Amino acid sequence: MKKSIKIVLVTILVFSSIMIFPYLNYSSQAFNRKNVSEEDYIQFSINGATYGDFDGDGNEDDIECYIDIHFNPEINRKKVELYVELHLPNGDIFIYKIMVNTFLTDVSLHLFFYNHAYVSGDYIIIAHIFLAQLGNYYTNCYVVFDPPREEEPDSDPIFECKLC
């Protein structure tokens, strides 16, 4: 990887860590001020994590997954911060922040990690969700999968999120 790309990735990682680590030092119970379980307000999961050629460049170096979020219908307007981490077998970590502001009860996000699958081994996608209403609620989920081969990416990593 070029030196400038490594510097940018390290800068993003450091900045993201500074933003995330204060939240991760608390247990989910510390965020739950009203002493109600997170399942009463937020349920979410990562589904369909796989790899392929999703950007049409001829290289199977892309990753996709779906994140399904279900909110309690009693909450009218939902404001959520979603942090998605992609951990590669070689120790590289990519962290992306998604802000969701919605009136919907069910939200499905289609995530694409273009040019991220470039080493073989187990990949881990971890999602952390923060709902800052009715107290602060936090929960997380993860999925592990294994793209079967190494593929040299043709360009820099790109992240895309679509609402389904």
Side-chain angles (χ1 to χ4, degrees):
M1 215 184 280
K2 293 181 183 177
K3 186 176 180 179
S4 61
I5 294 171
K6 287 182 182 180
I7 291 172
V8 169
L9 291 177
V10 169
T11 303
I12 291 170
L13 179 62
V14 169
F15 179 76
S16 298
S17 298
I18 291 169
M19 297 293 291
I20 291 174
F21 284 130
Y23 292 111
L24 298 180
N25 287 333
Y26 299 101
S27 71
S28 60
Q29 197 65 340
F31 276 93
N32 192 346
R33 294 184 189 142
K34 295 191 182 288
N35 209 15
V36 177
S37 75
E38 286 81 9
E39 290 79 22
D40 291 338
Y41 291 102
I42 307 169
Q43 296 173 4
F44 84 120
S45 61
I46 302 172
N47 304 305
T50 188
Y51 79 101
D53 178 20
F54 303 115
D55 59 2
D57 63 2
N59 293 324
E60 292 187 344
D61 59 355
D62 308 319
I63 298 169
E64 78 168 341
C65 71
Y66 293 87
I67 294 184
D68 297 319
I69 307 169
H70 173 75
F71 297 101
N72 184 314
E74 294 177 11
I75 304 172
N76 187 26
R77 185 174 186 175
K78 296 87 172 172
K79 296 178 184 176
V80 170
E81 289 183 10
L82 179 66
Y83 294 90
V84 180
E85 301 176 18
L86 175 64
H87 294 252
L88 278 61
N90 66 353
D92 290 350
I93 301 173
F94 297 91
I95 302 173
Y96 299 98
K97 178 180 178 181
I98 303 165
M99 308 267 312
V100 178
N101 190 353
T102 184
F103 290 100
L104 299 173
T105 303
D106 294 302
V107 175
S108 183
L109 302 173
H110 191 184
L111 307 181
F112 293 97
F113 300 86
Y114 299 118
N115 306 316
H116 285 71
Y118 50 84
V119 295
S120 61
D122 287 342
Y123 284 62
I124 303 170
I125 298 174
I126 304 172
H128 306 272
I129 193 165
F130 299 91
L131 173 67
Q133 288 154 282
L134 304 175
N136 292 319
Y137 296 92
Y138 162 82
T139 190
N140 65 32
C141 64
Y142 71 95
V143 65
V144 178
F145 67 101
D146 183 12
R149 64 182 195 161
E150 289 191 31
E151 187 78 39
E152 185 65 32
D154 61 333
S155 64
D156 294 338
I158 299 171
F159 178 75
E160 181 179 8
C161 176
K162 295 181 180 180
L163 182 63
C164 298

